[in-house]
């Protein structure tokens, strides 16, 4: 039987607390007007899902597929994950290694802000069209030629641009970036004037939801769309995990999901629309005070802020004098606020106590730093009752390998997916693109890192069980301190998922 969605089937609605469930269909042939929308809710922790915080999301998680072991891509940063989602690949393949990246041809001593699409366009020009090194979601869809493709986002211009860097399909609809530019007049005419940015960013979330309904759901064409909501991330960075304002931002996004569900139900589209909902990363309360660069300057291991002897971009450390790499690594290993230190695989044996960057899929052939230095974390509870703290600076955020940041929610409902299925297998953000392309009958003829999530598809009747976790351990004794790292992984069908890492120290 063909795994694509059928033209004819008997649809049996199942009502659950006022919502119509997306019924299963007998699958025969791709339906011309099949629509799939992927909703990424920036910074949504798994434990935010509840009947109180997010009633629509909570109900959907119980109705369709709920991923029990869904992963962010490390580093748990927005632009790393938006690119990983858009390419189905890890940073080692696509080359966006952080929220800022070091491209010496563009700037010899500083990183490039990937949140700004103008900076990315300049970098792409300098790199002769090689900012991203693999095909993106929209390119695969356009090659097929029969399906609309659109990005709707209330996030940064850079994040939106990385979702569709080649501006394929309809393009990008973001309050601050509408591409191609000739689309802007039509968008404003149909959706209305662009609202100002707020915290929470509710008016803009409503605006991009309006745009999705107008340009996608009202169209009779087959489509693949992404909606990227910038909250609760944008609000939680400033006000904390679980703060009243953060919870209001979650409820506001949940309301927009409810509007989409209502439109689908009122227009009899339950057997036509697939919805996948996930997040780019979790969130932690921040309890750190220092930075890698300040620490290296203080210890005399970097000459100054603008010096090129050691260049720090985010958590990536590039060292001109390779003889100093071990000294720098050991300086970090003695600090309680530092987590796992990752080195290039060819150098790992020479730098005791470090793990290979290949374990986190980060060692890009051209752009990887000599060291990637994670911050440590713990499971302390904040004032609002949410566990998870990391030694980054600020109020709250993400970027570390803490399980509170690596774990993400995953929900799938619609005619292509099983109902009331708790998926015990490991999954990650890179798996969404190949799964959606498979559902729409679009073939991938290049190697990518993600897999098709066969286990969640409605025609799959196989039984699956939770997979055992494996642990890699390294240890290094330095100046009477035993520095220890445990790195946790889970395997499935030839794929290895990085779960999280934990670092500890014992003073002799």
């Amino acid at each position: 039987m063909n795994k694509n969605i059928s033209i004819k089937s008997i649809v049996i609605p199942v009502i659950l607390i006022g919502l119509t469930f997306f019924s299963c269909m007998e699958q025969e042939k791709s339906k011309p007007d099949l629509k799939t929308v992927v909703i990424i809710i920036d910074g949504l922790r798994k434990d935010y899902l509840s009947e109180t915080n997010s009633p629509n999301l909570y109900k959907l998680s119980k109705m369709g597929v709920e991923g029990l072991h869904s992963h962010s891509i490390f580093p748990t940063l927005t632009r790393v994950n938006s690119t990983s989602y858009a390419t189905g690949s890890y940073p080692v393949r696509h080359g966006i290694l952080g929220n800022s990246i070091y491209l010496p041809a563009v700037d010899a001593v500083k990183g490039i802000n990937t949140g700004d699409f103008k900076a990315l366009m300049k970098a792409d020009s300098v790199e002769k069209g090689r900012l991203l090194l693999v095909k993106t979601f929209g390119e695969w869809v356009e090659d097929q030629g029969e399906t609309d493709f659109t990005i709707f986002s209330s996030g940064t211009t850079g994040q939106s641009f990385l979702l569709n860097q080649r501006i394929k399909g309809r393009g990008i609809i973001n309050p601050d970036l509408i591409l191609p530019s000739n689309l802007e007049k039509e968008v404003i005419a149909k959706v209305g004037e662009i609202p100002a940015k707020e915290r929470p960013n509710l008016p803009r979330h409503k605006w991009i939801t309006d745009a999705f309904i107008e340009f996608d759901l009202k169209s009779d064409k087959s489509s693949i769309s992404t909606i990227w909501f910038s909250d609760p991330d944008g609000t939680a960075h400033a006000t904390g995990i679980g703060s009243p304002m953060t919870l209001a931002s979650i409820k506001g996004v949940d309301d927009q999901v409810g509007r989409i569900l209502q439109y689908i139900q009122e227009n009899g589209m339950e057997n036509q629309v697939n919805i996948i909902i996930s997040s780019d990363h979790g969130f932690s309360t921040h309890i750190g005070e220092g930075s890698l660069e300040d620490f290296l300057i203080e210890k005399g291991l970097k000459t100054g802020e603008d010096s090129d002897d050691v260049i720090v971009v985010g958590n990536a450390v590039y060292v001109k004098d390779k003889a100093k790499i071990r000294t720098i690594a050991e300086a970090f290993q003695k600090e309680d606020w530092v987590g796992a230190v990752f080195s290039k695989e060819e150098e790992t044996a020479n730098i005791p106590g470090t793990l290979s960057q290949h374990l986190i899929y980060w060692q890009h052939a051209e752009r990887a730093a000599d060291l990637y230095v994670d911050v440590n974390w713990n499971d302390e509870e904040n004032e609002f009752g949410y566990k998870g703290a990391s030694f980054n600076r600020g109020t709250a955020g993400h970027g570390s390998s803490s399980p509170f940041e690596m774990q993400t929610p995953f929900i799938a409902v619609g005619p292509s997916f099983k109902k009331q299925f708790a998926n015990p297998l490991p999954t990650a953000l890179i798996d969404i693109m190949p799964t959606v392309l498979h559902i729409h009958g679009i073939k991938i003829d290049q190697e990518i890192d993600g897999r098709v999530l066969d286990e969640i598809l409605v025609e799959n009747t196989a039984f699956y069980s939770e997979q055992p976790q494996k642990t890699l351990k390294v240890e290094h004794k330095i100046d009477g301190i035993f520095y220890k790292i445990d790195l946790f992984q889970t395997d499935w069908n030839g794929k290895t998922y990085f779960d999280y890492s934990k670092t500890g120290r014992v003073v002799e």
Side-chain angles (χ1 to χ4, degrees):
M1 183 180 292
N2 192 320
K3 293 185 178 180
N4 297 323
I5 305 304
S6 65
I7 295 179
K8 300 178 180 178
S9 64
I10 297 174
V11 179
I12 304 176
V14 179
I15 308 299
L16 179 60
I17 318 180
L19 290 176
T20 301
F21 183 65
F22 298 89
S23 59
C24 301
M25 300 193 306
E26 180 187 354
Q27 303 193 349
E28 301 166 359
K29 184 179 179 183
S30 289
K31 189 165 185 174
D33 60 353
L34 177 69
K35 295 177 178 292
T36 298
V37 56
V38 180
I39 301 174
I40 305 294
I41 303 174
D42 204 316
L44 186 74
R45 286 173 47 131
K46 286 186 71 172
D47 54 2
Y48 279 149
L49 297 183
S50 71
E51 291 182 278
T52 302
N53 292 341
S54 53
N56 291 303
L57 295 173
Y58 180 78
K59 291 169 187 176
L60 289 177
S61 72
K62 303 307 176 187
M63 291 160 54
V65 175
E66 181 179 15
L68 301 182
H69 300 289
S70 178
H71 295 69
S72 176
I73 305 305
F74 184 77
T76 50
L77 298 166
T78 294
R79 271 88 77 185
V80 172
N81 278 271
S82 59
T83 312
S84 297
Y85 161 74
T87 62
S89 291
Y90 288 112
V92 68
R93 194 182 298 273
H94 62 63
I96 303 300
L97 303 183
N99 273 354
S100 56
I101 58 174
Y102 180 53
L103 299 173
V106 181
D107 193 315
V109 295
K110 292 184 179 179
I112 298 152
N113 176 17
T114 62
D116 180 357
F117 95 99
K118 291 181 180 179
L120 292 175
M121 290 182 70
K122 177 184 175 182
D124 189 53
S125 176
V126 173
E127 293 289 309
K128 297 179 170 47
R130 298 182 69 253
L131 174 65
L132 295 188
L133 304 172
V134 291
K135 285 179 72 170
T136 58
F137 209 153
E139 291 176 89
W140 293 112
V141 176
E142 186 171 273
D143 286 350
Q144 189 261 1
E146 299 176 4
T147 302
D148 280 346
F149 181 84
T150 315
I151 301 297
F152 304 88
S153 173
S154 56
T156 65
T157 60
Q159 171 269 320
S160 302
F161 184 66
L162 288 169
L163 290 174
N164 190 10
Q165 193 224 352
R166 303 300 178 196
I167 319 301
K168 298 300 183 180
R170 184 176 287 111
I172 298 170
I173 298 178
N174 174 297
D176 297 317
L177 180 69
I178 299 176
L179 293 175
S181 57
N182 60 11
L183 178 62
E184 182 172 357
K185 186 176 180 179
E186 181 184 3
V187 170
I188 292 175
K190 289 185 176 181
V191 184
E193 292 296 325
I194 298 169
K197 187 175 182 178
E198 297 182 9
R199 182 184 297 145
N201 207 12
L202 304 183
R204 288 191 166 192
H205 301 330
K206 180 182 183 300
W207 188 84
I208 65 165
T209 303
D210 290 343
F212 168 69
I213 292 171
E214 187 67 36
F215 283 91
D216 187 311
L217 292 184
K218 289 185 179 181
S219 165
D220 60 2
K221 288 189 65 177
S222 173
S223 63
I224 297 173
S225 292
T226 299
I227 303 176
W228 193 292
F229 290 114
S230 63
D231 274 324
D233 177 279
T235 300
H237 273 296
T239 66
I241 301 166
S243 73
M245 191 174 287
T246 296
L247 295 184
S249 76
I250 296 167
K251 182 61 168 57
V253 169
D254 186 79
D255 287 344
Q256 299 312 308
V257 174
R259 291 182 60 220
I260 293 169
L261 297 175
Q262 183 178 4
Y263 186 94
I264 290 170
Q265 184 176 352
E266 289 177 350
N267 290 275
M269 300 174 69
E270 296 94 339
N271 64 339
Q272 299 174 356
V273 182
N274 292 315
I275 300 178
I276 295 175
I277 300 170
S278 191
S279 177
D280 52 341
H281 52 72
F283 236 74
S284 290
T285 299
H286 283 177
I287 56 175
E289 297 179 354
S291 72
L292 303 186
E293 184 172 74
D294 292 345
F295 173 78
L296 292 175
I297 293 171
E298 178 187 332
K299 295 294 183 181
L301 296 170
K302 176 174 166 59
T303 304
E305 185 176 335
D306 294 322
S307 68
D308 65 355
D309 55 336
V310 178
I311 294 172
V312 180
V313 178
N315 289 62
V317 181
Y318 299 80
V319 185
K320 180 177 286 188
D321 180 359
K322 303 307 179 187
K324 290 175 59 176
I325 297 174
R326 175 169 175 169
T327 301
I328 290 172
E330 290 183 335
F332 283 126
Q333 289 168 347
K334 290 187 284 186
E335 298 295 314
D336 287 340
W337 57 274
V338 171
V341 178
F342 299 90
S343 59
K344 292 185 175 181
E345 187 169 52
E346 60 270 22
E347 295 291 336
T348 299
N350 301 321
I351 310 173
T354 62
L355 288 164
S356 168
Q357 293 170 3
H358 279 307
L359 294 170
I360 53 173
Y361 306 106
W362 196 82
Q363 189 172 325
H364 187 271
E366 302 167 18
R367 300 176 184 173
D370 295 291
L371 299 172
Y372 189 88
V373 183
D374 196 9
V375 297
N376 213 349
W377 61 272
N378 60 46
D379 60 359
E380 289 179 4
E381 191 174 283
N382 76 354
E383 60 184 305
F384 303 109
Y386 286 87
K387 289 185 176 182
S390 74
F391 285 87
N392 276 311
R393 293 188 294 186
T395 300
H398 48 94
S400 85
S401 64
S402 158
F404 298 97
E405 297 170 43
M406 289 295 299
Q407 295 173 0
T408 56
F410 180 93
I411 302 166
V413 292
S416 299
F417 305 119
K418 293 177 179 177
K419 61 180 181 178
Q420 296 179 319
F421 174 64
N423 185 12
L425 300 182
T427 66
L429 204 64
I430 56 170
D431 298 326
I432 294 177
M433 184 193 82
T435 302
V436 172
L437 293 179
H438 172 79
I439 289 168
H440 282 260
I442 300 173
K443 296 186 181 301
I444 296 176
D445 58 8
Q446 251 177 41
E447 185 179 1
I448 63 171
D449 298 316
R451 68 180 179 90
V452 175
L453 300 176
D454 292 299
E455 69 273 14
I456 74 172
L457 301 181
V458 68
E459 70 271 15
N460 189 337
T461 59
F463 174 79
Y464 297 95
S465 59
E466 188 167 351
Q467 301 303 295
Q469 194 174 62
K470 63 183 183 181
T471 308
L472 299 178
K473 296 177 178 287
V474 298
E475 182 177 304
H476 180 44
K477 181 181 178 182
I478 175 172
D479 295 342
I481 298 172
F482 284 95
Y483 168 77
K484 302 179 179 183
I485 308 172
D486 290 339
L487 184 141
F488 300 91
Q489 300 172 312
T490 306
D491 293 337
W492 173 251
N493 198 24
K495 304 287 186 180
T496 298
Y497 293 82
F498 172 42
D499 296 333
Y500 66 97
S501 71
K502 180 59 181 171
T503 302
R505 291 167 180 82
V506 177
V507 179
E508 189 176 33

